[in-house]
Amino acid sequence: MDLRQIMEEKERKKLKETERAEGADLMETKEKPCILATIGQEGIYKCFASCIEKHFTIINSDTFVQERELLVHKIQAIFVLGQSIKVDHSLLQSLPKLKVVVNGGVGVDHLDIPLINSFGVKVCNTPHVVDNATADIGMGLMLASARKLVQGHNFSQYHESESLLESLLGNDVSGATLGIIGMGRIGYKVAKRAQGFDMKILYHNRHRRTEEEEKAVGAVYCEKMEELLKKSDFVMLVVNLSPQTQKLIGAKELAMMKPSSTLINISRGLVVDQDALLDALQRNIIKAAALDVTYPEPLPRDHPLLSFPNVIVLPHMGTHTVETTRVKVETMVINALATLNGEQPPNEVKI
């Protein structure tokens, strides 16, 4: 190869490198798809916004309200965490380019899926992501209630004597009977954890688990929920909210439980008739309750349930961990990207 050919080859390489660099710049400057989301205390926390901003331009709900006319034609996806954005007919009608509503979490009872689908818009959620954190909070509530951890903490803060009070006597979890109502993914993970405490595990489910699955966690199936209620020291609710499970636990069911038993709810507040629960606690029909979910959420500060020393009420924080929330947001992004790229999203919810 002579000098002229060498120089020409160098020029060709240089030209290709320039074209490649220009192409990269063009990709970087290409406008990202716009999504509507609430970034801040009532939606997706700011610390997770960067997970989204790699792929999307975020239009905060406050900005959308202020500049609605300029932004309605840009939004292609909505990210809903909790009930931060109300996806109603008016909003759907105003967003002609909307392709997907992605919910952070499993429960989509706050979304009108048939209505959303009628606009040609898909609905996705983030199943499996929340399983471990929710199972953990169930065990945490059971332990905290049985061993009176909240009362013990309060004693440390405000005690007037050095001696522990008789009222702080708790109950052993090890060896006790746990009844799980709803042995889906999360319920099964609860059973695995309870097995580590040598608990006797009963469960009631629409569909019985396989014999192999039952043996793996030492669980015994109760065809009728009544049998589970009568035998359990702790009753944990892990069902989805549906018309069939709304107020699943009412006065009749509470009356079947042992006077020494504890009700634990990590599903949805409406699964329990709160008025019936309040009455059962006032009349000592059951010993205690530990709730991650209520209606409304949070409860008003003067709600009677908050006045009972034997009741623990959390503000629906079962999935409220750094690790779970990060994966939740990342899964929301994956679903949105797939939909906007014309692919089938991995977690579409169909009715």
Side-chain angles (χ1 to χ4, degrees):
M1 184 179 290
D2 59 25
L3 181 60
R4 182 178 61 80
Q5 289 173 318
I6 292 172
M7 294 298 291
E8 287 176 352
E9 182 64 23
K10 284 185 176 180
E11 285 297 320
R12 278 195 293 271
K13 286 183 178 180
K14 186 176 180 181
L15 180 61
K16 283 183 179 180
E17 288 174 1
T18 302
E19 289 174 346
R20 197 177 295 117
E22 289 175 348
D25 290 341
L26 185 61
M27 288 292 287
E28 288 179 6
T29 56
K30 185 180 178 181
E31 189 175 351
K32 298 174 185 176
C34 293
I35 68 159
L36 175 62
T38 298
I39 304 296
Q41 199 64 26
E42 294 183 355
I44 298 168
Y45 293 135
K46 292 179 182 178
C47 59
F48 300 112
S50 60
C51 299
I52 304 171
E53 290 169 335
K54 293 176 184 176
H55 307 279
F56 302 104
T57 296
I58 300 173
I59 297 175
N60 204 333
S61 53
D62 291 338
T63 304
F64 178 71
V65 170
Q66 296 167 5
E67 303 176 28
R68 188 182 181 103
E69 295 302 318
L70 296 173
L71 299 173
V72 288
H73 294 282
K74 292 185 176 184
I75 294 168
Q76 297 184 58
I78 299 175
F79 279 15
V80 180
L81 197 60
Q83 300 187 38
S84 55
I85 296 174
K86 187 178 181 181
V87 184
D88 55 16
H89 188 279
S90 175
L91 179 62
L92 291 164
Q93 198 170 39
S94 71
L95 303 176
K97 293 188 177 180
L98 183 66
K99 294 181 180 178
V100 63
V101 174
V102 188
N103 183 68
V106 181
V108 290
D109 47 275
H110 56 292
L111 295 174
D112 189 337
I113 297 175
L115 172 66
I116 296 169
N117 289 163
S118 72
F119 282 85
V121 177
K122 295 181 183 293
V123 175
C124 300
N125 65 351
T126 59
H128 312 295
V129 172
V130 302
D131 295 359
N132 283 320
T134 307
D136 287 349
I137 207 75
M139 295 301 293
L141 282 168
M142 180 166 60
L143 288 164
S145 181
R147 297 304 306 274
K148 301 196 175 182
L149 300 188
V150 175
Q151 295 97 312
H153 172 75
N154 291 338
F155 177 84
S156 295
Q157 280 191 311
Y158 307 114
H159 65 87
E160 295 180 358
S161 71
E162 302 301 317
S163 302
L164 285 176
L165 305 174
E166 182 179 346
S167 62
L168 289 177
L169 278 170
N171 294 100
D172 287 339
V173 168
S174 298
T177 300
L178 170 63
I180 302 171
I181 298 178
M183 184 78 100
R185 296 186 318 273
I186 297 171
Y188 197 74
K189 285 181 179 289
V190 169
K192 283 184 175 180
R193 286 155 172 75
Q195 190 180 27
F197 285 86
D198 297 322
M199 299 189 80
K200 300 178 186 70
I201 302 167
L202 307 177
Y203 80 98
H204 172 74
N205 211 34
R206 284 181 301 173
H207 306 291
R208 184 171 181 173
R209 288 270 183 173
T210 65
E211 186 177 345
E212 184 180 359
E213 289 170 330
E214 289 178 349
K215 284 183 178 179
V217 294
V220 176
Y221 178 64
C222 295
E223 185 176 354
K224 294 188 179 296
M225 189 170 67
E226 290 84 349
E227 180 187 357
L228 178 149
L229 293 170
K230 291 175 181 178
K231 293 181 177 179
S232 300
D233 299 304
F234 301 92
V235 174
M236 192 176 300
L237 305 174
V238 204
V239 297
N240 293 324
L241 179 62
S242 68
Q244 291 72 39
T245 61
Q246 187 165 329
K247 295 191 177 180
L248 179 69
I249 303 298
K252 177 184 174 184
E253 291 73 25
L254 289 163
M256 293 179 186
M257 294 173 61
K258 295 180 180 181
S260 59
S261 65
T262 298
L263 180 70
I264 303 160
N265 189 6
I266 58 171
S267 55
R268 286 291 187 269
L270 284 167
V271 171
V272 176
D273 182 336
Q274 274 182 189
D275 291 334
L277 175 60
L278 184 62
D279 181 67
L281 290 163
Q282 287 171 333
R283 297 197 290 132
N284 298 316
I285 291 173
I286 64 172
K287 182 176 183 178
L291 315 170
D292 181 43
V293 288
T294 57
Y295 60 92
E297 291 173 349
L299 285 178
R301 291 181 182 179
D302 60 351
H303 194 283
L305 277 175
L306 299 176
S307 66
F308 285 84
N310 56 336
V311 176
I312 297 174
V313 180
L314 301 183
H316 200 162
M317 56 189 292
T319 65
H320 205 68
T321 70
V322 172
E323 295 81 4
T324 294
T325 306
R326 180 180 292 113
V327 177
K328 191 187 297 183
V329 172
E330 290 170 351
T331 305
M332 294 172 78
V333 168
I334 289 169
N335 278 285
L337 284 174
T339 305
L340 299 190
N341 288 332
E343 303 166 2
Q344 176 60 34
N347 305 123
E348 183 177 3
V349 180
K350 295 182 179 181
I351 299 299

